[in-house]
Amino acid sequence: KPWMICLWPTDPHRLAKPTQANAAINLLPPELPNNINEADVSDKPTWVRTLPLMSPGKVKMAQKERKRGYQALMGVDQGAQQVIQALIETGQFENTIIIFTADNGDSFGAHRLLFKDMIYDEASRIPLAIRLPWRTENRIEGRVVSLLDLTATIVEATGVTPGRSLLGNSLLPLMEADAAPWEGCAFVESHGSPGPRAKGRPSFKGLRTGGDGWGYYAYAEHPTGEVELYDMVADPAQLDNAVDRPEYAEVRQALAARLAEFLARPGYVKD
C-alpha cells in the first residue's frame, strides 16, 4: 500500500554527537563568513546592539561545535544511505519521493550570535533536496521556496485531500519545468526565545525573497518598530541594514506590503 515515513535524526543539534569513527575524521569546514563576531552592529535591532563582542575563547568554542556538527552530519548521511539501500533492495526506490531538509540553521557566532530564531541566513536558511523518481536530471533551483511548500508538494504528488487550507504552494511545477513561474517570496517568523541562554531573542515577522519579480532580499519587522532590510546580492553577510537608504525606499515599501498580505491570509494564526 502507499506509505510515508518521516525520520528525524537529532544530530547535528547542539551539542552535536558524532559517532566515534566520524569524530576521528579531521574535517576542514568551509571558511568562516566575515560576519563572525561582527564588530559594528549599530545598524542592528536594539537586542543585538546590547550584545558584547564574543571573547576569542567563545569564538573558538563555537567553531569547534560547528566542526562537530559537520562530523555528526556524516552519520545522518550514512543513515540516509541505509534507507536508500533498503528501498533499492525492496524494489521501491523508483516509486518513492525522497525529501531531505531541516528545521533551522545555527549562527555559530555570526553577528555575535549563537543559536537560531533570526532573519539572518545562518539561522533561517536551510538545505532542501528532493528526489523525484521520474526526473532523470539533477539541477539546482536558485529561487526561494518555503518549508510550507513541502506540505502542498506532498499533497499534490500523492493525490490526497488535505483536511485544511494550505498556506504553501506545490513545488512540483517548479521541479518539472525549469522555467515555471515562481514568486520566490518566503514568509519567515519567530515567536521569540525569552530564556537567558537565548539572550532574550524577540519575535519577528519577515520575508526572504529570490525569484520572479523580486530581487534577493531579507526583510524583518520587530515588535519594537525596528525594521531590517538586507540586499542579499550586494551584502550576503547581512552586515549593512539598508532599511533607511533612499535607494531602497521602494523595495522596503513593496516588502512591507507583501508581508502584510501574508499576515492577512486565511489560516495564519497570529500571536
Side-chain angles (χ1 to χ4, degrees), residues 97-100 128-132 138 150 153 171-172 175:
I97 298 172
I98 300 174
I99 301 174
F100 179 88
L128 174 62
I130 302 178
R131 179 188 183 270
L132 302 178
N138 296 335
L150 293 184
T153 303
L171 298 171
L172 287 185
M175 291 187 288

Side-chain angles (χ1 to χ4, degrees), residues 110-151:
H111 314 291
R112 309 183 187 181
L113 299 164
L114 301 172
F115 307 113
K116 52 186 180 180
D117 300 337
M118 290 164 279
I119 191 62
Y120 310 123
D121 259 17
E122 291 82 7
S124 62
R125 188 178 180 185
I126 56 175
L128 174 62
I130 302 178
R131 179 188 183 270
L132 302 178
W134 58 87
R135 175 106 191 178
T136 58
E137 296 182 357
N138 296 335
R139 74 181 184 90
I140 296 175
E141 174 57 60
R143 290 171 287 185
V144 169
V145 303
S146 167
L147 277 178
L148 290 174
D149 299 323
L150 293 184
T151 304

Side-chain angles (χ1 to χ4, degrees), residues 18-256:
T19 64
Q20 185 175 0
N22 289 336
I25 297 175
N26 187 24
L27 293 177
L28 183 63
E31 289 186 14
L32 294 176
N34 60 352
N35 58 15
I36 295 293
N37 207 15
E38 184 178 352
D40 182 4
V41 293
S42 60
D43 62 333
K44 299 294 187 289
T46 302
W47 75 273
V48 178
R49 296 200 304 271
T50 60
L51 298 175
L53 279 168
M54 299 171 66
S55 67
K58 194 170 184 179
V59 172
K60 185 177 181 180
M61 179 190 69
Q63 301 322 312
K64 182 179 179 180
E65 177 62 20
R66 179 172 179 251
K67 181 178 179 179
R68 287 179 63 84
Y70 279 105
Q71 292 169 328
L73 274 172
M74 295 181 68
V76 176
D77 288 345
Q78 291 154 357
Q81 184 179 20
Q82 291 178 329
V83 173
I84 290 173
Q85 185 60 39
L87 291 172
I88 293 173
E89 292 174 357
T90 56
Q92 300 183 78
F93 185 60
E94 294 305 331
N95 193 36
T96 301
I97 298 172
I98 300 174
I99 301 174
F100 179 88
T101 189
D103 58 347
N104 60 266
D106 198 308
S107 298
F108 292 117
H111 314 291
R112 309 183 187 181
L113 299 164
L114 301 172
F115 307 113
K116 52 186 180 180
D117 300 337
M118 290 164 279
I119 191 62
Y120 310 123
D121 259 17
E122 291 82 7
S124 62
R125 188 178 180 185
I126 56 175
L128 174 62
I130 302 178
R131 179 188 183 270
L132 302 178
W134 58 87
R135 175 106 191 178
T136 58
E137 296 182 357
N138 296 335
R139 74 181 184 90
I140 296 175
E141 174 57 60
R143 290 171 287 185
V144 169
V145 303
S146 167
L147 277 178
L148 290 174
D149 299 323
L150 293 184
T151 304
T153 303
I154 295 169
V155 165
E156 181 179 2
T158 56
V160 300
T161 301
R164 59 175 176 81
S165 60
L166 301 179
L167 293 174
N169 300 297
S170 172
L171 298 171
L172 287 185
L174 188 64
M175 291 187 288
E176 294 177 339
D178 297 2
W182 187 261
E183 183 187 19
C185 186
F187 175 62
V188 187
E189 70 173 337
S190 170
H191 295 282
S193 301
R197 187 165 177 259
K199 304 299 183 184
R201 294 189 301 274
S203 62
F204 78 87
K205 303 184 189 303
L207 300 173
R208 180 66 163 80
T209 71
D212 302 341
W214 292 101
Y216 285 79
Y217 296 101
Y219 176 80
E221 295 180 357
H222 299 274
T224 57
E226 295 168 300
V227 179
E228 294 180 272
L229 171 62
Y230 299 98
D231 185 330
M232 300 306 297
V233 174
D235 180 28
Q238 295 168 287
L239 294 169
D240 186 8
N241 183 4
V243 69
D244 292 324
R245 288 190 177 184
E247 62 268 33
Y248 288 94
E250 291 186 7
V251 172
R252 176 182 180 177
Q253 184 178 12
L255 291 172

